[in-house]
């Protein structure tokens, strides 16, 4: 929502400038405060291949790809859908804020800990199901209010899904392979959003 507001008031250039400043400040904080916690760890040869062949981790990676594919599609199409209802860039930003708020609240509430109680499978299936339903209904939304409600629902699905699929990394990776496992997870995230945006 802040990016949309800045774009409406000052233009696109200021959005990128603000992001650059925030990233540089965060890089400085990371340089100052993040220290090596596992100095003796070394990557194991063939570790990435073994992780990719792990069926449970494959579920996590596939879920991450599907989630970010859908988000990449939303990044392209949601502003166009919002324009149909006469929403400004700031108001379109609030649609994404609705999603983010729901995701944060869902993860902070006991729902975010479902995977510790039910196991990883049920919250992943639940989250993907909610996200799929929200996406299907977004295509049929009759007005702007429905867009906000459905993006909130999308965020609830995200909040149920993300902790479970992330926890699989900790479950299946050792201390020596956790960085590689998380790196693959993040790469799949980036691939999903890229393919989703490009295919739109």
């Amino acid at each position: 929502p802040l990016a949309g507001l800045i774009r409406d008031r000052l233009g696109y250039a200021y959005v990128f400038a603000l992001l650059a400043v925030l990233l540089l400040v965060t890089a400085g904080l990371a340089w100052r405060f993040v220290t090596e916690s596992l100095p003796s760890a070394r990557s194991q040869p063939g570790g990435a291949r073994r992780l990719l062949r792990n069926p449970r981790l494959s579920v996590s990676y596939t879920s991450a790809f599907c989630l970010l594919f859908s988000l990449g599609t939303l990044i392209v199409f949601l502003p166009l859908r919002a324009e149909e209802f006469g929403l400004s860039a700031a108001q379109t930003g609030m649609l994404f804020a609705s999603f983010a708020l729901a995701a944060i609240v869902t993860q902070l509430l006991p729902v975010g800990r479902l995977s510790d109680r039910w196991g990883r499978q049920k919250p992943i299936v639940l989250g993907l199901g909610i996200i799929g339903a929200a996406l299907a209904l977004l295509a049929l939304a009759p007005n702007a209010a429905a867009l906000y409600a459905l993006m909130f629902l999308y965020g609830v699905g995200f909040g149920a899904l993300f902790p479970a699929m992330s926890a699989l990394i900790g479950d299946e990776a050792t201390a020596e392979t956790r960085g590689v496992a998380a790196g693959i997870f993040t790469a799949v995230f980036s691939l999903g959003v890229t393919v989703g945006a490009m295919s739109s």
Side-chain angles (χ1 to χ4, degrees), residues 75-124:
I75 289 169
V76 174
F77 280 120
L78 189 62
L80 300 176
R81 192 83 171 103
E83 280 182 15
E84 293 177 5
F85 298 117
L87 299 183
S88 66
Q91 290 170 321
T92 301
M94 290 303 295
L95 286 170
F96 286 100
S98 175
F99 143 68
L101 176 64
I104 291 167
V105 170
T106 301
Q107 291 177 88
L108 289 176
L109 291 174
V111 176
R113 297 188 289 276
L114 284 180
S115 68
D116 293 332
R117 298 175 184 173
W118 293 359
R120 310 306 183 204
Q121 180 188 41
K122 290 179 182 178
I124 288 174

Side-chain angles (χ1 to χ4, degrees), residues 7-22:
R7 182 265 182 193
D8 281 347
R9 298 286 176 85
L10 302 172
Y12 286 111
Y14 285 88
V15 176
F16 291 109
L18 174 63
L19 287 172
V21 170
L22 288 173

Side-chain angles (χ1 to χ4, degrees), residues 51-52 57-70 165 169 180-196:
L51 292 168
L52 286 169
L57 283 177
S58 295
V59 170
S60 179
Y61 297 148
T62 304
S63 299
F65 178 84
C66 291
L67 174 62
L68 269 292
F69 183 93
S70 72
M165 67 182 187
I169 304 295
V180 176
I184 295 170
F185 185 76
T186 305
V188 170
F189 252 59
S190 300
L191 180 64
V193 75
T194 301
V195 173

Side-chain angles (χ1 to χ4, degrees), residues 157-181:
F158 184 103
L161 171 63
F162 194 85
M165 67 182 187
S166 300
L168 277 174
I169 304 295
D171 292 345
E172 299 298 315
T174 65
E176 290 75 20
T177 61
R178 196 165 293 135
V180 176

